[in-house]
Amino acid sequence: MQDALIINTRDLEFQLFEVLDAETLTQRARHADHSRETFNAALDTAHAVAVEKFAPHNRLSDEHEPQFDGQRVTMPHEVKDALDALRATGFLAASKDYEWGGMQLPAVISFACLSLFKSANIATSSYAMLTSANANVIERFGSDAQKRKYLGALFEGRAFGTMALTEPQAGSSLSDLTTTATPNPDGTYSIRGNKIFISGGDHELSENIVHLVLARIPGGPPGVKGISLFTVPKFRVNEDGSLGARNDVALAGLIHKMGWRGTTSTMLSFGEHGECVGELVGEPHHGLAYMFHMMNEARIGVGLGAVMLGYRGYLASLEYARERPQGRHPTSKNPLDPQVPLIEHADVRRMLLAQKAYVEGAYALSLYAARLVDEQNTGESDDARAEAALLLDLLTPIVKSWPSQWCLEANSLAIQIHGGYGYTREYPVEQFYRDNRLNMIHEGTHGIQAIDLLGRKVTMKQGAALKLLARELQRSIDAAREHATLQAHADALGAAWRDLNGTLEALLPALATDTDRALANANAFLEAFGHIVMAWTWLRQALVANAALPGASGAADQDFYRGKLHACQWFFRCELPRVASMLAPLRTLDDTTLSMAPQWF
Amino acid sequence: MQDALIINTRDLEFQLFEVLDAETLTQRARHADHSRETFNAALDTAHAVAVEKFAPHNRLSDEHEPQFDGQRVTMPHEVKDALDALRATGFLAASKDYEWGGMQLPAVISFACLSLFKSANIATSSYAMLTSANANVIERFGSDAQKRKYLGALFEGRAFGTMALTEPQAGSSLSDLTTTATPNPDGTYSIRGNKIFISGGDHELSENIVHLVLARIPGGPPGVKGISLFTVPKFRVNEDGSLGARNDVALAGLIHKMGWRGTTSTMLSFGEHGECVGELVGEPHHGLAYMFHMMNEARIGVGLGAVMLGYRGYLASLEYARERPQGRHPTSKNPLDPQVPLIEHADVRRMLLAQKAYVEGAYALSLYAARLVDEQNTGESDDARAEAALLLDLLTPIVKSWPSQWCLEANSLAIQIHGGYGYTREYPVEQFYRDNRLNMIHEGTHGIQAIDLLGRKVTMKQGAALKLLARELQRSIDAAREHATLQAHADALGAAWRDLNGTLEALLPALATDTDRALANANAFLEAFGHIVMAWTWLRQALVANAALPGASGAADQDFYRGKLHACQWFFRCELPRVASMLAPLRTLDDTTLSMAPQWF
């Protein structure tokens, strides 16, 4: 079944065990029970559940959106069946402590498992992803009582989680949230306000739903410094974990989207008609910091979702291009010759190679980020852990934005390869394209990632994160210069990095003195930085492929490594050169956008 | 009503009467009855019909696709109401002879009218566009008897037209068409075969449907040299114009698309169950040449459709950005200050400016192409007419492909400005994005436009078309060098053009000797060429704005001209520099895509 082609398993193996050395993680105490075999068993199980339970209803739940009859939200039962299978196999707690029923898998392995669910069905898998992100916040910042109440239920999937941040009047501007949390004598809070775009905000997929809600305790400071975080369950939870009365969290309406239709997107009203009880998480007025913990993880997850939609489209169009006969070579005009498969046409091959470069590169970057999470959690020294955290912090805007932009472009190319068929709903690729368009918007828009990167991340701790990335890049460059076939790439990456740093030096003084102008072209910086990070990611893959190729025994492995080297070459020849023109407006502090008066439009 | 904002009428006026001097066309014999006033009257009527009849059901017909019950194709009645209004106002024959009930409007004016229908509702307007393109072929290549039978009905909209080229097994490869046309003793032909993706292939919107069908007369040469063109009506037409028996053109099924849902897209079978009579148009085996006449016009029309979808999204996002308060400036962090409108944010302004540059630039290019049609038809000398035809032939791949690519990008930016709302179906922009994705596919894919441009157009007649374009560019460059504010743009355009020509010189020998390799990066050539043409288009607009600004009396006019100059500056600073990296793989005859073996993917 074409629909079920969710991953190139050879690539997955390459990323985890050849590029990222995931097997070495078994030497760490936390993962001591694990081995390459247990990792593979988890991946195989995830693959089977993804193919058998998640992929088959991907189109169905797109065509049959959740419906609200005023009482309940209903959707095709296949969504719940798939999530039940995921629950049963324990993936909601894959990386969690044995104590919580988890498997103590490294982040990079559980993330790879998650990638398979996302590829198979982004909408259905997002219920699980939100639940897992939600549980992480409670695990890290919640009280013991909150953990007892919620964590087991979330890890087992009896309860699903949401993150309820956005309000209709505030959007990206969390500073302007108005939902209130008024203290009650018993230590709880009464929540009142409206939230919008809350994914998984209501459904019948789990016994309970635990909302993590940002709200203001009256009397607190204005702006983001007065925002607190609350657990607000759909059904109140008794001390023994049993469910109590319905909390007044009301579904004010469902939102109808272009894609990603299988995930309920909701408007919720809290405490409008009755009592809505919430419990404070951590300290008052620290809510945003806690939520950012969740958001950073969610951002890596959004990036991964974008990757997998791109990946899926790539595989579908590759299969189509191999099977569909269409036309002849430009120099072979005899109409009596048989038609050649699409893949024989140079321009189709370009579109496949571009997709391969985008999606396999972005997949490598996503898994690299997950590997940094492991290093941050279980790295062998304080320094190693701190460095990993710092590097991840710097790269997060790229890990989120680059796949959102370029794997969407990959989806467009997948449609193009299918021709008119690609534009129809009889083929899967148009849905991937619609689904993927969301990723540049949610969990911080592209513009917000850009300001985060240029306005905060590159300068934080006196540029320590940037220096760290420079060191890592240089390591790869030095290694690549040892190999004749990679030398030109190494030089090109070095030159692009110097170009970026030169630009940044010109920008830095302005960032302090003329911030609006220095940040005006932040988007260009995000794109240039992203392309450099991606070139580096390809160079690291090429180093591994180049080393492995001479010893590769089978034709399949040789082909695989050659493909990696060729995709790397494509990225360096056709994509990396774009960095120069991306940087141009930054170097000159170009103010064309800033100086465009609103009335001139 | 936000939905009804279909054009910036000041821009339309600017393009027609300031940039393209449309009023001078009234000096030509064919348009002698016309004046600026009659042009404006036609535009006003089109605008009113578009806003009142076309725009209101744009979402409705997206949500309620045509349905086929086995007998009839039904759709919301608003589609027919709108087309009835268009019929009643005579726009189907706007540029046609008085003899046929036409208005003898210049192409540029009728094209501008058409743009308003397209902006208001691309799907509904496409029935009219196809009909008009169909009638043009019959008018030019049909026999007198065919004209008598069909033209009046098509121009009045009693019959609608289609172009039935594509077959399921052939797609873009017309060489592989297998539909047959077997001669009958009475001079007619029996048509037999299957067609797919036939827009407007069946419906109840008109009394009759006239299909223009490509088919093979048995015994003819293989490939494209054996293709003939036939009129195949749904209902046979008697000599007196009355309708006769049903022809065996059967609807084999409707195609369900990502967007453009209001237009029926059909699979048709001809002569499968009964007699399907067709009449030969022109000479046997010349069908492709005739059809290309229609296709070239259709390609300009597709480009215009892409422009208008982009334009509509731009206007919607501009209005939203002006009205929606959201966040504060980076340097103004007091949360008690009121939020500022979105348009105050530099990155939002960038996205508006990019859209303006894409859509107003592409609109200028589309109308320039229409103006060339006028020059080709009624130019004052044989030379002028021949030159216009040549230039139009060269530019057609750009006029089709550039808006399809960049006005789609504009639609993506319009969504982005709306944030989460933009991704919902409660706002109009997501539909524009879905609708626009078709334009890179139909009427010759992007890849086909690229091969047409590099493999045929730039070298045709010993490069005569290219020389002509060079002369026109140089004129604009020379004029711009006279003005201090435009000098840098003039120099940049000159440099980019030299860069392109240098690349072409390196390519030309290979085009003859190593065609596959020389054409392997044709897509990059199409993009670089397109960006240069667009920079030139902006420079021509800037020349007019720059000349008009000092004498502009009102603030509104001054703002308008400043906006044009600023958008031009944006294009030259942020877009034109991309040409260098686009050309890079062409200059080196890079074979990365060609040498990627299929088994390496």
Side-chain angles (χ1 to χ4, degrees):
Chain A
M1 191 173 89
Q2 182 171 351
D3 246 2
L5 205 58
I6 63 168
I7 192 79
N8 174 355
T9 49
R10 182 65 186 89
D11 186 32
L12 175 56
E13 186 192 357
F14 173 75
Q15 301 296 349
L16 291 179
F17 300 114
E18 301 178 59
V19 178
L20 297 174
D21 289 328
E23 201 171 345
T24 61
L25 292 168
T26 60
Q27 293 158 19
R28 297 186 181 171
R30 182 175 174 80
H31 312 302
D33 294 344
H34 281 289
S35 62
R36 174 86 174 246
E37 286 66 38
T38 63
F39 290 169
N40 280 336
L43 291 163
D44 288 347
T45 304
H47 192 273
V49 173
V51 168
E52 289 160 23
K53 295 289 184 178
F54 279 67
H57 71 281
N58 193 47
R59 174 62 76 177
L60 179 78
S61 57
D62 177 69
E63 287 175 345
H64 299 274
E65 287 177 294
Q67 302 288 324
F68 181 47
D69 64 5
Q71 296 292 323
R72 285 163 182 272
V73 174
T74 53
M75 60 186 84
H77 69 84
E78 286 84 352
V79 177
K80 185 164 189 302
D81 295 349
L83 291 165
D84 285 346
L86 183 130
R87 267 186 268 256
T89 45
F91 279 108
L92 280 168
S95 64
K96 296 297 156 192
D97 296 356
Y98 295 138
E99 174 193 352
W100 290 110
M103 305 184 211
Q104 293 196 183
L105 278 170
V108 72
I109 301 295
S110 72
F111 209 66
C113 294
L114 182 61
S115 77
L116 303 174
F117 299 118
K118 283 180 185 277
S119 180
N121 193 319
I122 191 77
T124 296
S125 64
S126 66
Y127 294 102
M129 187 187 118
L130 286 161
T131 299
S132 168
N134 179 299
N136 287 348
V137 172
I138 296 176
E139 185 183 21
R140 175 134 176 204
F141 302 108
S143 66
D144 286 344
Q146 284 167 334
K147 290 183 196 173
R148 273 196 309 274
K149 254 183 169 174
Y150 297 120
L151 276 192
L154 289 165
F155 287 146
E156 289 166 26
R158 285 180 283 116
F160 279 174
T162 78
M163 40 201 300
L165 289 71
T166 306
E167 297 181 5
Q169 82 294 346
S172 299
S173 181
L174 296 176
S175 176
D176 294 285
L177 298 184
T178 59
T179 296
T180 55
T182 310
N184 296 321
D186 66 354
T188 65
Y189 290 76
S190 291
I191 310 293
R192 211 180 153 97
N194 298 295
K195 298 284 178 180
I196 193 168
F197 301 128
I198 309 308
S199 295
D202 205 1
H203 52 69
E204 304 289 318
L205 301 169
S206 54
E207 294 170 9
N208 202 3
I209 301 174
V210 181
H211 304 286
L212 280 174
V213 178
L214 289 183
R216 295 183 180 284
I217 301 171
V224 293
K225 291 175 182 167
I227 296 176
S228 305
L229 181 65
F230 300 85
T231 54
V232 182
K234 178 175 177 181
F235 291 98
R236 294 176 205 164
V237 180
N238 301 315
E239 288 303 319
D240 65 355
S242 64
L243 298 188
R246 185 73 158 80
N247 222 354
D248 182 40
V249 182
L251 179 58
L254 293 175
I255 294 162
H256 301 95
K257 308 185 294 299
M258 172 164 66
W260 211 294
R261 296 189 181 190
T263 303
T264 51
S265 181
T266 63
M267 292 175 279
L268 297 178
S269 72
F270 295 84
E272 198 173 344
H273 307 290
E275 179 60 16
C276 178
V277 176
E279 295 167 26
L280 181 67
V281 176
E283 300 292 314
H285 314 318
H286 284 63
L288 203 65
Y290 306 151
M291 207 54 146
F292 260 105
H293 180 76
M294 182 168 173
M295 266 198 283
N296 278 333
E297 194 170 311
R299 283 171 179 178
I300 304 173
V302 165
L304 182 67
V307 174
M308 301 323 294
L309 285 164
Y311 211 125
R312 189 89 187 277
Y314 164 59
L315 294 177
S317 66
L318 177 59
E319 190 176 43
Y320 187 78
R322 284 187 162 136
E323 289 174 358
R324 165 85 179 178
Q326 181 76 85
R328 289 161 196 82
H329 291 292
T331 45
S332 147
K333 288 286 188 195
N334 183 353
L336 297 178
D337 286 344
Q339 297 195 71
V340 298
L342 276 173
I343 199 170
E344 290 294 321
H345 296 293
D347 196 52
V348 171
R349 219 173 281 180
R350 169 187 71 83
M351 293 190 280
L352 290 170
L353 198 46
Q355 285 184 78
K356 181 180 170 78
Y358 297 152
V359 306
E360 291 185 6
Y363 196 43
L365 178 64
S366 286
L367 291 173
Y368 177 76
R371 187 68 179 76
L372 287 178
V373 172
D374 281 317
E375 221 46 35
Q376 168 186 296
N377 291 345
T378 62
E380 302 194 350
S381 66
D382 287 350
D383 278 358
R385 289 191 294 273
E387 281 191 352
L390 197 59
L391 196 52
L392 184 59
D393 217 17
L394 175 67
L395 290 177
T396 297
I398 301 301
V399 173
K400 196 267 178 184
S401 68
W402 202 91
S404 301
Q405 182 172 355
W406 294 99
C407 295
L408 175 66
E409 179 60 26
N411 285 138
S412 183
L413 294 171
I415 291 175
Q416 195 69 16
I417 287 174
H418 283 74
Y421 292 106
Y423 193 68
T424 71
R425 308 203 300 277
E426 276 80 20
Y427 284 76
V429 286
E430 65 86 27
Q431 186 187 344
F432 303 146
Y433 181 66
R434 281 188 290 111
D435 287 349
N436 219 349
R437 184 60 188 80
L438 178 60
N439 290 313
M440 276 199 283
I441 299 172
H442 64 168
E443 307 306 339
T445 64
H446 229 57
I448 283 174
Q449 303 301 324
I451 288 181
D452 183 39
L453 180 68
L454 181 58
R456 206 168 70 83
K457 297 293 176 67
V458 299
T459 55
M460 65 183 177
K461 302 188 181 178
Q462 290 80 48
L466 200 68
K467 286 191 196 104
L468 199 55
L469 179 62
R471 187 191 75 193
E472 295 299 308
L473 254 76
Q474 197 57 48
R475 275 187 190 161
S476 304
I477 290 170
D478 291 344
R481 288 190 56 82
E482 301 288 310
H483 304 280
T485 47
L486 301 181
Q487 213 164 339
H489 300 341
D491 292 346
L493 180 58
W497 181 248
R498 282 191 299 279
D499 202 5
L500 179 110
N501 278 277
T503 304
L504 203 52
E505 270 170 43
L507 262 178
L508 281 179
L511 269 175
T513 58
D514 193 359
T515 313
D516 285 346
R517 182 161 174 177
L519 287 179
N521 298 306
N523 183 71
F525 188 81
L526 183 78
E527 295 204 359
F529 197 90
H531 256 46
I532 288 173
V533 167
M534 188 45 59
W536 170 55
T537 303
W538 266 110
L539 191 59
R540 285 186 295 114
Q541 293 184 81
L543 276 163
V544 175
N546 194 57
L549 183 57
S553 50
D557 259 10
Q558 288 173 8
D559 288 342
F560 176 79
Y561 292 128
R562 288 207 174 92
K564 283 287 178 191
L565 290 167
H566 220 77
C568 178
Q569 174 178 315
W570 187 87
F571 196 88
F572 273 85
R573 290 201 184 162
C574 294
E575 290 289 336
L576 188 61
R578 297 190 193 199
V579 168
S581 63
M582 290 170 179
L583 288 174
L586 290 151
R587 205 174 295 118
T588 57
L589 279 174
D590 186 89
D591 75 340
T592 307
T593 55
L594 261 193
S595 60
M596 177 79 183
Q599 69 272 22
W600 296 353
F601 280 104
Chain B
M1 191 175 86
Q2 182 171 353
D3 245 3
L5 206 59
I6 63 168
I7 192 79
N8 174 355
T9 49
R10 182 66 187 88
D11 187 33
L12 176 55
E13 187 192 356
F14 173 74
Q15 301 296 350
L16 291 179
F17 301 114
E18 300 178 60
V19 178
L20 297 174
D21 290 328
E23 201 172 345
T24 60
L25 293 168
T26 60
Q27 293 157 19
R28 297 184 182 172
R30 181 173 175 80
H31 312 301
D33 294 345
H34 281 288
S35 63
R36 175 85 174 246
E37 287 67 39
T38 63
F39 290 170
N40 280 335
L43 291 163
D44 288 348
T45 303
H47 192 273
V49 173
V51 168
E52 289 159 24
K53 295 289 184 180
F54 278 67
H57 70 282
N58 193 46
R59 175 62 76 176
L60 179 79
S61 58
D62 177 69
E63 287 174 344
H64 299 274
E65 287 177 295
Q67 302 289 324
F68 181 47
D69 64 5
Q71 296 292 324
R72 284 163 182 273
V73 175
T74 54
M75 60 185 85
H77 70 82
E78 287 84 351
V79 178
K80 185 164 189 301
D81 295 348
L83 291 165
D84 285 345
L86 183 130
R87 269 185 267 254
T89 46
F91 279 108
L92 280 168
S95 63
K96 296 296 156 193
D97 296 356
Y98 294 137
E99 173 192 351
W100 291 109
M103 305 185 213
Q104 292 196 184
L105 279 171
V108 72
I109 300 295
S110 72
F111 209 65
C113 293
L114 182 61
S115 78
L116 303 175
F117 299 119
K118 282 180 186 277
S119 180
N121 193 320
I122 191 77
T124 296
S125 64
S126 66
Y127 295 102
M129 187 186 119
L130 286 161
T131 299
S132 166
N134 178 299
N136 286 349
V137 172
I138 296 175
E139 185 183 21
R140 174 132 177 205
F141 301 107
S143 65
D144 286 344
Q146 284 167 333
K147 290 184 198 175
R148 274 196 309 275
K149 254 183 171 174
Y150 297 120
L151 276 193
L154 289 165
F155 286 146
E156 288 167 27
R158 285 180 282 119
F160 280 174
T162 77
M163 41 201 298
L165 289 72
T166 306
E167 298 181 5
Q169 82 294 345
S172 298
S173 181
L174 296 176
S175 175
D176 294 284
L177 297 185
T178 57
T179 295
T180 55
T182 310
N184 296 321
D186 66 354
T188 64
Y189 290 77
S190 291
I191 310 293
R192 211 181 152 98
N194 296 296
K195 298 284 178 181
I196 193 169
F197 300 129
I198 309 308
S199 294
D202 205 1
H203 52 70
E204 304 288 319
L205 300 168
S206 53
E207 296 170 9
N208 202 1
I209 301 174
V210 181
H211 305 285
L212 279 174
V213 178
L214 289 183
R216 295 184 180 284
I217 301 171
V224 294
K225 291 178 182 165
I227 296 176
S228 305
L229 181 64
F230 300 85
T231 53
V232 182
K234 179 175 176 181
F235 291 98
R236 295 177 205 165
V237 179
N238 301 319
E239 287 304 318
D240 66 355
S242 63
L243 298 188
R246 185 75 157 78
N247 222 354
D248 182 40
V249 183
L251 179 59
L254 292 175
I255 294 161
H256 301 96
K257 308 185 294 299
M258 172 164 67
W260 211 293
R261 295 188 181 190
T263 303
T264 51
S265 180
T266 63
M267 292 175 280
L268 296 178
S269 73
F270 295 84
E272 197 173 345
H273 306 290
E275 179 61 14
C276 178
V277 176
E279 294 167 25
L280 181 68
V281 176
E283 299 293 313
H285 314 320
H286 283 64
L288 202 66
Y290 305 151
M291 208 52 145
F292 259 105
H293 179 75
M294 182 169 174
M295 266 198 282
N296 278 334
E297 193 168 314
R299 284 173 179 178
I300 304 173
V302 165
L304 182 67
V307 174
M308 302 321 294
L309 286 165
Y311 211 126
R312 189 89 187 277
Y314 164 59
L315 294 178
S317 66
L318 177 59
E319 189 175 44
Y320 186 78
R322 284 188 162 135
E323 289 175 358
R324 164 87 180 176
Q326 182 76 86
R328 290 162 196 81
H329 291 291
T331 45
S332 147
K333 288 285 188 195
N334 183 354
L336 297 177
D337 286 345
Q339 299 195 71
V340 299
L342 276 172
I343 199 169
E344 289 294 321
H345 296 293
D347 196 53
V348 172
R349 220 174 279 180
R350 169 186 71 82
M351 293 190 280
L352 290 170
L353 199 46
Q355 284 184 78
K356 182 180 170 76
Y358 298 152
V359 307
E360 291 184 6
Y363 196 44
L365 178 63
S366 286
L367 291 173
Y368 176 76
R371 186 70 179 74
L372 286 177
V373 172
D374 281 318
E375 220 46 36
Q376 170 186 293
N377 291 345
T378 61
E380 302 194 349
S381 65
D382 287 349
D383 278 358
R385 289 191 294 274
E387 281 191 352
L390 197 58
L391 195 52
L392 184 60
D393 217 17
L394 174 67
L395 290 177
T396 297
I398 301 300
V399 172
K400 195 268 179 186
S401 68
W402 202 92
S404 300
Q405 182 171 356
W406 294 98
C407 295
L408 175 66
E409 180 60 26
N411 284 137
S412 183
L413 294 172
I415 291 176
Q416 194 69 17
I417 288 174
H418 283 74
Y421 293 106
Y423 193 68
T424 71
R425 309 205 297 279
E426 276 79 21
Y427 284 76
V429 286
E430 66 85 29
Q431 186 187 344
F432 304 146
Y433 181 67
R434 281 188 290 112
D435 287 350
N436 219 349
R437 184 58 189 81
L438 178 60
N439 289 313
M440 277 199 282
I441 300 172
H442 64 168
E443 307 306 338
T445 64
H446 229 55
I448 282 173
Q449 303 302 323
I451 288 180
D452 183 39
L453 180 68
L454 181 58
R456 206 168 70 82
K457 295 294 176 66
V458 298
T459 54
M460 65 183 177
K461 301 188 180 174
Q462 289 80 47
L466 200 68
K467 286 191 195 104
L468 198 54
L469 178 62
R471 187 192 75 193
E472 295 300 308
L473 253 76
Q474 196 57 49
R475 275 187 191 161
S476 304
I477 290 170
D478 291 345
R481 288 190 55 82
E482 302 289 311
H483 305 281
T485 47
L486 302 180
Q487 213 165 339
H489 300 343
D491 292 346
L493 180 58
W497 182 248
R498 282 191 299 277
D499 202 5
L500 180 111
N501 278 277
T503 304
L504 204 52
E505 269 170 42
L507 261 178
L508 281 178
L511 269 174
T513 59
D514 193 358
T515 313
D516 285 344
R517 183 162 174 174
L519 287 179
N521 299 306
N523 183 71
F525 188 81
L526 183 78
E527 295 204 359
F529 197 90
H531 256 47
I532 288 174
V533 167
M534 188 45 60
W536 170 55
T537 304
W538 267 110
L539 191 60
R540 284 187 295 113
Q541 292 183 81
L543 277 163
V544 175
N546 195 58
L549 182 57
S553 50
D557 259 10
Q558 288 173 8
D559 288 341
F560 176 79
Y561 292 128
R562 288 208 175 91
K564 284 287 178 191
L565 290 168
H566 220 77
C568 177
Q569 175 178 316
W570 187 87
F571 196 88
F572 272 85
R573 291 202 185 163
C574 294
E575 290 290 336
L576 189 61
R578 297 191 193 199
V579 168
S581 63
M582 290 169 178
L583 289 175
L586 290 152
R587 205 174 296 119
T588 58
L589 278 174
D590 187 88
D591 74 340
T592 307
T593 55
L594 261 193
S595 60
M596 176 80 183
Q599 69 273 21
W600 296 353
F601 281 104

